[in-house]
């Protein structure tokens, strides 16, 4: 069955049929397509375009298809069709007979596919949010266990200043929290009804689109029919939101890959998310995290592909647009699964707090604190920086830490050296405690931030459960 054909003669080349079909991937839209069709048929009834009897028959048939699809979700998989819309109409004809041919009165696949896609976006956002909340919860779980765990913070992956592991974890919390609010934005902007735009110029029947929007759960109606069928901003925005989430996950993955390397030994990965080598018996590789990092690349490819898809399209529907859906579905699936895997990996890591703490005594992490102490005594920062730098060089050449240097040696570079400066050089705890302003890594501050984080997670969790 085809939804067109009157003006065609001869057969379509089967290779072209296969080339152009979208049912293999857009069958995911069946439940949405059925829902939109049913609401639309009722709108046609209210506009007196269809008789009450026809509306009853069509809506009843669509109900039956909906039930069948809900009970046997994979049932359409073996069948073939040009696209989801063709499949639904053909299936409806089997259900209700001749009256099915009235289904697409004044309606086009152009406004239909745009509407189906927006309904899919709504559900996809909900799924992504659920998965993101799982990771937020895992981050908070680990942060709670590590409110006293110190490790070197890095810049350029070189030891910089000591931080709390909880502070590190809450940095990822911030990223993910932004990802969640980006998803909310996506949903909010996509919350408009394209249906009733027809092929491009609007419906020729007096449809009550506002009521149709309400029935389908849309907040608003698309105000321009041409934009309604051409616009794929919702797809692009969600692809971007997925890509940025994946970039965040990829950075988390990268850190954990480094931290779990025995050379670092900061964390142990659970065996459940690692694999071995076919050759080297001793190996344990962090494949789950590497795959997240790799899949981030693929997802970025989808968003640039979709932007390129849209950039030269003449306004109105163009068949190129069919390419948007496979990208979107794949990106959403990948991002959701990556979030869920990352959450499980995060919960299952074992933190080696002693190893982390040991590393904070190397790498001169307190050098800034010594310079800061000199500044407190009126030494200009440039001078302080220079003096401490020279002392570091001296210690480095002798394989000593700042805590190990004796008073006379220290005074060769820092004339003011005394027990207070020695303590600043020695005490990682003091270095942490000083950073108690908002945003800092002091234990007192991080404990406050944990309270905020827990509140934020609870709010997201409630919001997800309500939807
Ligand atoms: N499979 C098509 C798509 O995904 C459905 C819309 C087809 N519309 C058309 N005028 N050929 O975009």
């Amino acid at each position: 069955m085809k939804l067109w054909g009157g003006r065609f003669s001869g057969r379509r080349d089967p290779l072209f049929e296969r080339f152009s079909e979208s049912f293999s991937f857009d069958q995911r839209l069946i439940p949405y397509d059925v829902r939109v069709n049913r609401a639309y048929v009722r709108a046609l009834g209210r506009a007196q375009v269809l008789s009450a009897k026809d509306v009853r028959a069509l809506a009843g048939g669509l109900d039956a298809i909906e039930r069948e699809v809900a009970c046997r979700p994979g049932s359409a998989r073996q069948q073939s069709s040009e696209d989801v819309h063709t499949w639904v109409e053909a299936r409806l004809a089997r259900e209700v007979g001749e009256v099915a041919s009235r289904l697409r009165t004044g309606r086009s696949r152009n406004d239909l596919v745009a509407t189906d896609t927006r309904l899919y976006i709504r559900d996809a956002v909900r799924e992504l949010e659920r998965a993101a909340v799982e990771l937020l919860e895992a981050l908070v779980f680990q942060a709670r266990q590590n409110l006293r765990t110190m490790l070197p913070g890095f810049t350029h992956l070189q030891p910089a200043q000591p931080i709390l592991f909880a502070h590190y974890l809450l940095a990822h919390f911030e990223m993910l929290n932004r990802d969640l609010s980006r998803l909310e934005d996506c949903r909010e902007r996509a919350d408009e009804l394209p249906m009733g735009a027809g092929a491009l110029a609007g419906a020729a029947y007096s449809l009550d689109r506002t009521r149709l929007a309400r029935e389908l759960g849309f907040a608003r109606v698309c105000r321009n029919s041409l934009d309604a069928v051409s616009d794929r901003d919702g797809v692009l925005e969600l692809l971007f939101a997925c890509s940025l989430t994946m970039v965040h996950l990829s950075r988390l993955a990268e850190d954990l890959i480094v931290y779990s390397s025995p050379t670092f030994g900061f964390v142990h990965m659970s065996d459940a998310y690692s694999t071995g080598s076919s050759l080297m018996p001793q190996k344990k590789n962090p494949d789950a995290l590497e795959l997240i990092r790799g899949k981030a690349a693929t997802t970025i490819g989808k968003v640039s592909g979709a932007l390129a898809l849209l950039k030269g399209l003449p306004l109105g529907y163009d068949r190129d647009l069919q390419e948007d859906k496979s990208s979107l579905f794949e990106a959403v699936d990948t991002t959701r699964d990556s979030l869920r895997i990352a959450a499980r990996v995060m919960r299952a890591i074992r933190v080696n707090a002693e190893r982390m703490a040991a590393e904070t005594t190397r790498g001169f992490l307190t050098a800034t604190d010594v310079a800061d102490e000199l500044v407190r005594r009126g030494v200009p920062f440039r001078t302080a920086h220079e003096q401490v730098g020279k002392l570091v060089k001296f210690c480095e050449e002798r394989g000593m830490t700042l805590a190990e240097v004796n008073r006379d040696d220290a005074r060769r570079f820092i004339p003011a050296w005394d027990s207070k400066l020695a303590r600043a050089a020695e005490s990682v705890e003091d270095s942490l405690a000083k950073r108690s302003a908002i945003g800092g890594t002091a234990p007192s501050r991080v404990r406050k931030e944990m309270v905020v984080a827990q509140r934020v997670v609870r709010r997201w969790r409630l919001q997800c459960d309500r939807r």
Side-chain angles (χ1 to χ4, degrees):
M1 176 189 159
K2 288 254 174 303
L3 301 186
W4 41 273
R7 62 101 62 228
F8 288 84
S9 48
R11 265 169 51 82
R12 221 118 315 280
D13 181 338
L15 182 61
F16 171 56
E17 302 244 293
R18 245 182 299 135
F19 181 71
S20 61
E21 70 83 29
S22 56
F23 190 62
S24 52
F25 54 89
D26 69 12
Q27 54 183 270
R28 280 169 73 135
L29 297 176
I30 291 175
Y32 307 112
D33 205 75
V34 169
R35 234 151 77 201
V36 175
N37 273 309
R38 189 173 43 210
Y40 180 73
V41 157
R42 294 210 175 102
L44 284 179
R46 286 192 297 269
Q48 252 115 68
V49 180
L50 292 182
S51 70
K53 182 161 156 269
D54 288 349
V55 171
R56 251 195 321 278
L58 290 167
L62 289 162
D63 283 341
I65 298 174
E66 185 171 63
R67 278 194 300 274
E68 181 195 291
V69 172
C71 296
R72 310 212 322 273
S75 57
R77 207 166 298 146
Q78 288 82 17
Q79 299 161 33
S80 68
S81 200
E82 182 183 327
D83 57 28
V84 57
H85 325 293
T86 310
W87 183 87
V88 169
E89 190 171 323
R91 182 67 195 73
L92 186 62
R94 269 201 282 137
E95 198 70 35
V96 299
E98 190 45 34
V99 63
S101 62
R102 296 187 186 275
L103 174 69
R104 62 185 133 101
T105 315
R107 183 210 84 186
S108 158
R109 281 180 291 172
N110 302 351
D111 54 353
L112 184 57
V113 75
T115 309
D116 292 358
T117 305
R118 285 180 193 243
L119 287 178
Y120 165 80
I121 288 174
R122 193 155 77 194
D123 284 353
V125 164
R126 186 184 339 129
E127 271 185 31
L128 289 165
E129 285 182 347
R130 285 237 163 88
V133 169
E134 281 176 35
L135 179 53
L136 282 184
E137 287 168 345
L139 287 166
V140 168
F141 166 81
Q142 279 298 349
R144 254 209 321 261
Q145 329 275 311
N146 288 285
L147 277 165
R148 273 194 276 273
T149 311
M150 308 177 291
L151 79 162
F154 298 95
T155 66
H156 313 265
L157 200 59
Q158 303 291 322
Q161 290 174 342
I163 55 172
L164 287 182
F165 192 50
H167 191 62
Y168 166 84
L169 293 167
L170 289 181
H172 285 288
F173 185 98
E174 291 293 322
M175 290 174 236
L176 211 57
N177 192 28
R178 289 196 293 275
D179 291 331
L180 274 158
S181 74
R182 225 178 324 271
L183 287 168
E184 288 284 284
D185 285 355
C186 273
R187 182 222 316 278
E188 159 54 26
R189 248 187 311 279
D191 201 3
E192 285 185 359
L193 174 80
M195 211 55 199
L200 75 160
Y205 307 105
S206 54
L207 291 177
D208 183 349
R209 293 185 70 214
T210 309
R211 176 147 177 204
L212 183 55
R214 203 175 335 115
E215 280 189 16
L216 287 169
F218 285 101
R220 301 174 301 277
V221 172
C222 294
R223 306 212 62 83
N224 182 293
S225 61
L226 194 52
D227 177 48
V229 294
S230 317
D231 166 43
R232 292 294 182 275
D233 286 4
V235 173
L236 292 176
E237 284 191 38
L238 186 50
L239 279 172
F240 175 73
C242 285
S243 299
L244 188 47
T245 302
M246 288 303 293
V247 166
H248 292 151
L249 292 182
S250 183
R251 296 184 78 172
L252 174 64
E254 170 64 13
D255 281 342
L256 293 180
I257 289 166
V258 172
Y259 292 172
S260 67
S261 157
T263 312
F264 266 74
F266 287 0
V267 300
H268 296 282
M269 287 284 284
S270 158
D271 281 3
Y273 303 102
S274 309
T275 60
S277 157
S278 57
L279 193 148
M280 299 166 282
Q282 87 285 11
K283 291 281 285 183
K284 177 173 147 187
N285 300 325
D287 291 32
L289 296 168
E290 290 170 308
L291 281 167
I292 288 175
R293 200 173 53 188
K295 285 172 194 287
T298 312
T299 309
I300 292 167
K302 305 276 182 223
V303 72
S304 30
L307 286 164
L309 177 70
L310 267 293
K311 74 173 266 298
L313 281 192
L315 215 55
Y317 177 83
D318 304 277
R319 190 64 179 271
D320 318 40
L321 290 172
Q322 178 167 300
E323 294 291 310
D324 68 346
K325 279 174 290 298
S326 44
S327 293
L328 182 64
F329 297 159
E330 217 178 292
V332 167
D333 290 348
T334 300
T335 308
R336 182 202 51 225
D337 292 351
S338 301
L339 282 164
R340 299 188 61 202
I341 290 283
R344 289 169 189 215
V345 168
M346 180 49 70
R347 265 183 199 276
I349 55 170
R350 250 190 318 112
V351 176
N352 189 340
E354 291 83 68
R355 185 79 197 85
M356 286 183 178
E359 278 307 305
T360 61
T361 62
R362 305 183 338 114
F364 309 104
L365 299 180
T366 52
T368 317
D369 299 288
V370 178
D372 285 342
E373 179 55 30
L374 288 168
V375 166
R376 256 173 233 119
R377 299 174 187 192
V379 181
F381 188 77
R382 177 149 52 109
T383 312
H385 189 286
E386 187 72 16
Q387 289 181 357
V388 179
K390 291 212 163 103
L391 178 61
V392 166
K393 186 164 188 287
F394 173 85
C395 291
E396 196 173 50
E397 280 161 7
R398 281 157 188 77
M400 292 187 328
T401 68
L402 280 179
E404 285 160 357
V405 74
N406 70 40
R407 207 179 63 171
D408 293 339
D409 283 339
R411 283 200 175 145
R412 282 168 54 198
F413 307 100
I414 304 176
W417 190 262
D418 60 7
S419 64
K420 198 155 178 215
L421 280 160
R423 184 171 166 98
E426 216 180 287
S427 173
V428 172
E429 282 82 3
D430 284 8
S431 169
L432 290 170
K434 267 182 239 141
R435 290 166 170 80
S436 61
I438 295 181
T441 192
S444 58
R445 176 56 63 184
V446 173
R447 248 177 268 119
K448 285 193 190 113
E449 285 306 316
M450 280 296 293
V451 176
V452 177
Q454 274 161 314
R455 201 177 322 131
V456 169
V457 180
R458 264 201 306 279
R459 210 193 59 221
W460 283 122
R461 171 56 72 193
L462 269 174
Q463 200 162 313
C464 282
D465 291 348
R466 240 182 284 128
R467 288 217 175 89

